[in-house]
Amino acid sequence: MNHRGRAGGSVRREAAATRNLEAPLPPARSRTEDLVHRLRQEILSGALAPGARLPTEQRLCERLGVSRTVVREAVAALRADGLVITRQGVGAFVSADAQHRPFRIDAENLTSIARILDLMELRASIETEAAALAAQRRKASHLRELAARLAAFDAALAHGDAAVQADFGFHCAIAEAAGNAFFVDVLHYLGKLVIPRQSIRVLAQTPAAQTAYLRGVQAEHRAIHDAIVARDAPAARAAMLSHLQRSQERYRHMAGASGRRPV
Amino acid sequence: MNHRGRAGGSVRREAAATRNLEAPLPPARSRTEDLVHRLRQEILSGALAPGARLPTEQRLCERLGVSRTVVREAVAALRADGLVITRQGVGAFVSADAQHRPFRIDAENLTSIARILDLMELRASIETEAAALAAQRRKASHLRELAARLAAFDAALAHGDAAVQADFGFHCAIAEAAGNAFFVDVLHYLGKLVIPRQSIRVLAQTPAAQTAYLRGVQAEHRAIHDAIVARDAPAARAAMLSHLQRSQERYRHMAGASGRRPV
DNA sequence: AACCATCATGTTATATGACAACAAGACAAG
DNA sequence: CTTGTCTTGTTGTCATATAACATGATGGTT
């Protein structure tokens, strides 16, 4: 028996080549990936209900004409995804919480300036509310943390990269003060996507322009900080919204100025 | 050689048993899971930088004293997670975007009413902004969709379960009208977590109470809808915020009324 | 009858060896 | 310098065997 039925893959690859000679990466799914895809679809579509038992490894081997290695690797992948759980000596079952897949934003979705602005918009919606909640709920410890983050930003004014980190730290401290762990989690997640791009934008400027830019950012930070200290939720919301809208504007400007290729 | 060095696992299990005889599930990691954990930590900690090449399967087998089966399953799991990518004949490499892990909220995190209210708060922050954006950007097609969803809700008033679905559909339509795909994605993700619980709450009531409750919801929906039609972003934001705050209030009330156990 | 130890069976977990598919460099021929 | 071939190393797949585990059946004991 041919150990690897690449016939299908080869056909796909050739077809792609005729359409575009520049084709850099023929996907050419492996058997394992194929099986993962099939099982995942069956689970997500509900054909395999939560709690249902998957066919045994032997049956899957027979039905699909693959080796146990392939089946086991596929199941391992699904288990890593949290879609199935296996019990030695019993079988493999569809996870009870298979329905709510993890939320994820791929880097491929962020190839255009418009998409990045969309992401910043999403972030803004969360942070404005976080600022308002922080104004209502902040404790003394949160205020100390906020002040410390502001000071850290001041200290980092001269170093563009460190300043971007400190900037994010200030925002995280606000999310912490909001007293809702979900806000912190989401912000961290989005931050990892946005920060690198922001950092590059900042560092592309001259040192003098960097400092001027960062001073402006810091002034907006202080406005947010003051509103939170004053327990003025609407003001905090407005200050954060204004801050992030200007941030979007700055990004739009810098992206437009330094060529069309977003990073 | 002993084919499965369960010594460590057994020790762990016994230790746990001495601490708590009720121990329901000794984790007892398998070798595969162990290796997945180790490699994942090395990647996330940065010890294995993005783009770096992993040791070959043979080397991993030798160093860790496990079979190739274990190594391959572990790598398959990491590949499913998007942390590594493998190229036949070349090797396995840490993915470039290994840093930003998918965002996920486990069901275990939602065991208390407070946590669920936190989640509703997060959802509110996103939806209020979505409503405001929808008011600014909605096209004619969006208005048609919104009207259709409202009508669907009216039609489902009698059937509690269908009404909850229609309710969510209306909210999704607003996110669509906001013209930012991320809002739709996040709402869908959060919806899968919130909807079932909301549904149970509604169905626990008497039919008459259900209808009264749903009529109140629908009135709030209309207020949001009208603000979006009028392109009045602040009004849309306020209407949505009010709607969701009342929703939180209702949940708090129902949760308090029907026993302490959240679902 | 109720209880408990033991066994048989089926399943997953792991180990091992082999071969196929592929990539990249070495190397010689043109 | 280019091109084709070979060698080597790596991942992908197959096949088989054994260990660990769960579950129900069996049969003996109380």
Side-chain angles (χ1 to χ4, degrees), chain A residues 59-131:
Chain A
R59 286 202 74 77
L60 283 176
C61 292
E62 295 167 3
R63 307 279 272 215
L64 306 175
V66 298
S67 76
R68 252 190 93 197
T69 306
V70 172
V71 171
R72 283 198 60 78
E73 283 189 32
V75 172
L78 294 174
R79 192 177 42 200
D81 255 21
L83 267 71
V84 309
I85 54 180
T86 61
R87 287 203 298 157
Q88 182 172 353
V90 183
F93 303 85
V94 179
S95 171
D97 55 316
Q99 298 299 345
H100 66 86
R101 306 272 304 118
F103 180 72
R104 161 177 240 160
I105 297 173
D106 302 320
E108 297 115 36
N109 284 23
L110 297 175
T111 50
S112 74
I113 295 175
R115 296 294 286 171
I116 294 175
L117 287 171
D118 279 352
L119 190 63
M120 295 176 80
E121 216 167 65
L122 175 66
R123 178 185 163 188
S125 77
I126 290 163
E127 288 215 62
T128 52
E129 195 62 24

Side-chain angles (χ1 to χ4, degrees), chain B residues 120 198 242-252:
Chain B
M120 294 176 81
Q198 198 172 358
S242 157
H243 173 49
L244 292 175
Q245 280 180 344
R246 287 188 202 185
S247 178
Q248 289 177 37
E249 202 52 52
R250 280 188 289 260
Y251 184 84
R252 206 188 314 263

Side-chain angles (χ1 to χ4, degrees), chain A residues 218-234:
Chain A
Q218 180 73 325
E220 295 167 20
H221 281 181
R222 282 195 208 288
I224 301 167
H225 170 264
D226 294 347
I228 292 176
V229 171
R231 294 194 192 277
D232 188 342

Side-chain angles (χ1 to χ4, degrees), chain B residues 148-192:
Chain B
R149 302 288 187 151
L150 276 181
F153 191 93
D154 274 328
L157 265 184
H159 317 79
D161 195 24
V164 171
Q165 297 293 333
D167 182 359
F168 188 58
F170 175 72
H171 286 261
C172 287
I174 292 177
E176 298 269 5
N180 183 334
F182 291 130
F183 281 83
V184 180
D185 292 344
V186 175
L187 183 57
H188 270 110
Y189 177 70
L190 296 180
K192 279 180 187 158

Side-chain angles (χ1 to χ4, degrees), chain B residues 1-6 31:
Chain B
M1 180 170 302
N2 59 340
H3 282 229
R4 187 157 181 193
R6 275 300 201 178
R31 299 194 163 189

Side-chain angles (χ1 to χ4, degrees), chain A residues 4 72-73 77 81 88 100-105 115 118 121 125 129 133 137 180 182 186 189, chain B residues 4 72-73 77 80-81 88 100-105 115 118 121 125 129 133 137 180 182 186 189:
Chain A
R4 189 158 179 191
R72 283 198 60 78
E73 283 189 32
D81 255 21
Q88 182 172 353
H100 66 86
R101 306 272 304 118
F103 180 72
R104 161 177 240 160
I105 297 173
R115 296 294 286 171
D118 279 352
E121 216 167 65
S125 77
E129 195 62 24
L133 291 172
R137 301 175 181 167
N180 183 333
F182 291 131
V186 175
Y189 177 71
Chain B
R4 187 157 181 193
R72 284 198 60 77
E73 282 188 34
D81 254 21
Q88 182 172 353
H100 66 88
R101 307 269 308 118
F103 179 72
R104 158 177 242 161
I105 297 173
R115 296 293 287 171
D118 279 352
E121 215 168 65
S125 77
E129 194 61 23
L133 291 172
R137 301 175 181 168
N180 183 334
F182 291 130
V186 175
Y189 177 70

